[in-house]
Amino acid sequence: MTVVDCVFQTLKVSVMGEEETRGLQSVFRQKTPSPFRPYVVLEFAVGAKQPAIEWMISKLQASESSGGADLEVSAVVMTFKKSESQTVLYIGAKNSRLLTAADMTGLSKIYKDNHYREFSIEDMANFKGIEDVDSFLTTAEKQKLILHEMEAVRASDEEDHIPGYDKIKLWTGKSILKKYLSRDIITKMYPLHEPEDLKKLGADWYQIKRIFKEQPIDDIRHYFGEKIALYFAFLGYYTIALIPPAFIGIIYFITSWQSMYREAIFAVFNLIWATIFLEVWKRYCSELSYRWGTIDMVSSTYDEPRANYFGTLGENPVTGKPEPVFPKWKRSFRFYCVTVPIVSVALGIAFYIMLGYFVMQEWADKKYASEKSWVNFSVLYLPTVIYAVLIGIVNSIYRKVAKKLNDWENHRLQSAYDNHLIVKLILFDFVNCFISLFYVAFYIQDMALLRSHLAALLITQQLIGQVQEAMVPFLFLTRRKKQVDASMKKQDALQKVEYFNGEVTEEVQKQAGMESEMEEYNGTMDDYLEMFLQFGYVFLFSSAFPLAALWALINNVTEIRSDAFKMVNIFQRPFAESASNIGAWQVAFELISIMAVMTNCALIGMNPEVRKLLPSDITAVNIVLIFVAVEHIILAIKVAVACLIPDQPKWVEIELAKIAYQSKLALQEKHVHRSESDKEKIDALLKEKSQ
């Protein structure tokens, strides 16, 4: 092992013991290049035990054959007052290591024929841009590959605990990095921003002058990855799709036309329009995923398990690679015997909260009826406001519970984990947010109350969201001041800085110090869920409140830019994730659009004016049959519209066919060359035997 010289600057007095310094020096197996380009930062907790730090460094630097990540690591040890020290690791990788990881993970890059193909080292000469190896992979791709290699370091049978922490046990096959993070030995992990690129992206994305211009989706994808880019693309597409129903809602609001046909026409339009929007989005999504080389991403049994997946260390039956094995019956037992009962209890709680709201509303109505004053008038809407706020609080609590349950179920693939979490969140939030509306619409059967209740819920939640979004710039300035103050206090308390295995530049350290204080981005799950609930408010009861689309449109116009502002200025840079579509959310939105047919047909069917059009002697059963028939006709129209709009544009289908054909030709050519080579070997062998 190479003992690396340490460079340090003593600010006041030296506190760190010589034995600790010598131990940290000796753990480095290879010297980092100069200049060293770090991509990812790991921050250990203040006072983290030295054996645990040294073991992590050795794992990150060890070769793949030894169960390590084979990455470049540089450590900065900061000693503070009270003899406390903190170690920060700056992680990088050689180009050769990154290219190997790109090959192993099947990263798609542009081939010489201008189509995306999975990168292969054997064939890398035919990939565009390989001449400049440093820029062949984007920074986001490099960070994603480094994360993959760090998470792939798993505990072996002999490694049953973290050195220095005898009570923290390791599961065989468990990701060591994830264990460090979950037990707060490593407190923060984040990829570093690219300040110049980020500044340019922000100028093209969230500036006021660009509020009505198209988002730079390709630039977002280049910097943040496909998953986040698809979220913003979907949000933008959905916002545009709200314009027609919002426009019609305004016309209905300012005109005096009152008729049963008014609600029926608007409801039918909304139901068909929702289908058109979702189908056209699928076409646009396929264009984006083709352009980004992710269109053929399909999860399979040979995909690598997610980092938090644990079990007995075995091997994948398809690839033969070592990976954790967890019995399916255990996962099923945990789901049906624990998760389902807990979720059922949560749904029951949501139901009783809804009943409590109606008790409060009844009290408020009686109070206003007894004395019609301004005070009592404000009290009249207080229960709805409280209920809307309570919905948000209960949703946030349930999300934490759902995540804990999902983690415990131990799903192998990230896609399966995400889909199960989405189902849990959608089920509860749907009941929690919409059960009161269904109660009013189909139990109380009061259209006026439904209209006012829907408007109050939607507008209250939107106003709360808008206040939060409007506060973002102010909070940003306040938070940035606190970040600077925290950084200065940390600097004042600093007594000694030591560099191990190469010095990290002061500029990079300042950048890491600022980004360390930024908020962690928790993914797109909550953003999609918020959009899903809004979609339900707009379309499930569109015949009752035509202005719902207008409120949603106003909210989303500001939501796009405020989310962009937060991505650029508030959050730490997230690791890029690949995606070919919006996953289970597509199915969720389609299910809402189907349910909207049933709810709106039922609402129209219960309208007294509609009942007057029917024969006076018609039975209740026949009335139900008539509206079920109407419902099925509308569903048939939706299906026809979906079938008439292909999921992929024709040009994308042709390009995919070309890629398949070229791959077939390449395989045939390779087979011909192999056959000729085999024939020559056979001829040579026969000739040798004949002699």
Side-chain angles (χ1 to χ4, degrees), residues 138-158:
T138 66
T139 300
E141 289 171 340
K142 292 175 182 177
Q143 291 166 338
K144 178 170 67 172
L145 293 171
I146 288 173
L147 175 66
H148 176 271
E149 296 308 311
M150 290 194 298
E151 291 181 339
V153 178
R154 298 180 180 272
S156 63
D157 293 330
E158 297 79 21

Side-chain angles (χ1 to χ4, degrees), residues 488-588:
M488 292 300 293
K489 287 180 181 178
K490 196 172 182 181
Q491 188 69 27
D492 291 340
L494 195 62
Q495 291 186 315
K496 179 180 175 182
V497 179
E498 293 183 298
Y499 303 95
F500 295 86
N501 206 32
E503 184 171 351
V504 179
T505 64
E506 184 178 349
E507 182 182 358
V508 171
Q509 287 187 71
K510 284 183 178 178
Q511 180 186 345
M514 290 298 297
E515 292 181 20
S516 173
E517 301 299 326
M518 298 171 80
E519 290 185 18
E520 181 183 356
Y521 181 65
N522 293 319
T524 58
M525 187 76 69
D526 289 344
D527 296 318
Y528 275 119
L529 192 57
E530 180 184 342
M531 214 185 320
F532 169 80
L533 296 175
Q534 184 196 85
F535 188 84
Y537 282 127
V538 172
F539 291 98
L540 276 176
F541 303 96
S542 56
S543 59
F545 185 48
L547 281 178
L550 176 63
W551 280 99
L553 175 63
I554 295 171
N555 177 81
N556 288 1
V557 169
T558 56
E559 179 85 13
I560 292 173
R561 306 305 165 181
S562 61
D563 282 356
F565 181 87
K566 288 186 286 187
M567 290 299 301
V568 173
N569 296 293
I570 304 294
F571 295 125
Q572 292 174 348
R573 183 176 188 170
F575 285 97
E577 295 182 60
S578 298
S580 58
N581 50 52
I582 61 174
W585 292 109
Q586 179 77 36
V587 178

Side-chain angles (χ1 to χ4, degrees), residues 611-649:
R611 296 288 183 91
K612 292 177 183 178
L613 295 177
L614 301 175
S616 57
D617 58 345
I618 192 170
T619 63
V621 174
N622 287 333
I623 292 175
V624 172
L625 290 176
I626 289 173
F627 286 102
V628 167
V630 172
E631 170 197 286
H632 279 63
I633 291 171
I634 296 175
L635 286 174
I637 295 172
K638 284 173 68 70
V639 171
V641 170
C643 292
L644 289 172
I645 303 176
D647 292 349
Q648 293 179 347

Side-chain angles (χ1 to χ4, degrees), residues 38-69:
Y39 293 102
V40 179
V41 177
L42 299 181
E43 293 185 12
F44 283 89
V46 174
K49 294 184 179 180
Q50 198 67 18
I53 297 172
E54 293 176 8
W55 192 53
M56 173 56 72
I57 293 173
S58 66
K59 283 291 183 182
L60 293 176
Q61 283 204 319
S63 63
E64 285 186 277
S65 58
S66 304

